[in-house]
Amino acid sequence: MRVLVFAPHRDDEVLGVGGTIAKYVKKGHEVFVCEVTDVQNNRELLEMIKKEEREAYKVLGIKKSYCLEIPVVELPNFSIIECNRRFLQVVNEVKPNIAYIPHKGDMHQDHGTVAKSALVALRPIGNPQLSAIYAYETLSETEWNAPYVDNAFVPNVWNDITDEIEIKIKAMKCYESQLCEDVHPRSIETIKALARYRGSTIGVPYAESFMMIRQILRD
């Protein structure tokens, strides 16, 4: 099985899907990540984050990653046609069976744009192999937006990552430049606390939760 994760920024894939990625890899599935944006005005920072990404992907066992190199925070001003074209190119190459996208109601505008373009690229017509699409939550983005109904993250799918939580934490520690001290949402303590809370919902020590966008039952 081939799994594709769309990440607006480097580290979003670990925050939202890190444990689930590790679980897929353990089971012998192939996981691909599409990083959408890049830092454009700080070469030193960009190279540091790229190095951190490579280390995190070794921990998780990512098969291959793509970067669309769109300037960070510029997605809403980027050509929609070009954005959709780049997304579709990745989808056509990977041909995922399952896809994970950011939650459209996240505070960061890049996340909403990525969610929309990903859904365009993942349309059922042209993707007969695709069985499911899930939206993930991203700490400091999903929970910080205004509490309107259309922004709400309401999980209806949970994945037990009790055996993978330490792999997720190890991968996140690779993104040293993106981590913060407790009690910031992007601290190790808070990441584990969210996984603990999501796990308590289904009676396991640690879990990640998602919103099901689409699921096709083929058998």
Side-chain angles (χ1 to χ4, degrees):
M1 185 167 67
R2 298 164 73 85
V3 180
L4 176 60
V5 180
F6 282 99
H9 315 104
R10 289 180 169 90
D11 82 348
D12 289 336
E13 73 288 341
V14 178
L15 286 166
V17 203
T20 296
I21 289 173
K23 194 168 184 177
Y24 279 126
V25 171
K26 277 185 179 181
K27 292 182 177 181
H29 303 303
E30 296 178 327
V31 180
F32 302 79
V33 176
C34 178
E35 303 285 359
V36 179
T37 65
D38 252 342
V39 176
Q40 298 291 317
N41 57 356
N42 189 327
R43 189 67 188 177
E44 184 178 348
L45 176 60
L46 175 60
E47 291 305 317
M48 179 172 61
I49 296 176
K50 282 184 175 181
K51 180 177 182 293
E52 292 173 343
E53 176 196 64
R54 290 192 295 269
E55 292 172 353
Y57 286 5
K58 286 180 183 179
V59 171
L60 293 175
I62 300 296
K63 174 77 172 180
K64 183 178 179 179
S65 66
Y66 303 80
C67 186
L68 304 188
E69 299 181 339
I70 300 172
V72 68
V73 308
E74 289 296 323
L75 264 174
N77 303 321
F78 198 75
S79 165
I80 295 175
I81 294 174
E82 177 61 16
C83 189
N84 290 348
R85 185 192 70 79
R86 295 188 190 186
F87 277 58
L88 185 59
Q89 188 175 24
V90 173
V91 170
N92 286 341
E93 181 174 329
V94 175
K95 297 191 180 302
N97 304 107
I98 296 177
Y100 291 83
I101 68 174
H103 174 50
K104 74 175 186 65
D106 287 359
M107 184 171 68
H108 200 305
Q109 57 188 355
D110 285 357
H111 288 226
T113 303
V114 169
K116 291 176 182 177
S117 284
L119 286 174
V120 170
L122 294 166
R123 286 176 293 195
I125 303 302
N127 287 293
Q129 81 292 337
L130 186 63
S131 296
I133 303 172
Y134 303 100
Y136 60 86
E137 58 185 331
T138 308
L139 280 165
S140 82
E141 303 295 353
T142 307
E143 80 280 14
W144 275 0
N145 207 353
Y148 305 139
V149 172
D150 59 345
N151 289 339
F153 181 80
V154 184
N156 54 10
V157 175
W158 286 259
N159 192 7
D160 180 357
I161 62 163
T162 302
D163 292 338
E164 292 76 34
I165 184 62
E166 294 306 325
I167 299 176
K168 173 172 179 154
I169 296 303
K170 184 178 180 181
M172 193 61 212
K173 285 181 177 178
C174 294
Y175 282 111
E176 187 176 355
S177 67
Q178 306 303 305
L179 281 174
C180 299
E181 296 296 324
D182 197 28
V183 295
H184 192 281
R186 293 191 180 216
S187 67
I188 293 300
E189 292 84 358
T190 306
I191 293 168
K192 291 192 78 169
L194 177 61
R196 187 74 168 172
Y197 170 65
R198 294 306 187 193
S200 72
T201 308
I202 58 170
V204 302
Y206 295 99
E208 288 174 339
S209 62
F210 309 97
M211 289 181 67
M212 181 188 293
I213 304 299
R214 182 185 309 138
Q215 182 177 28
I216 301 173
L217 303 177
R218 303 188 184 278
D219 296 323

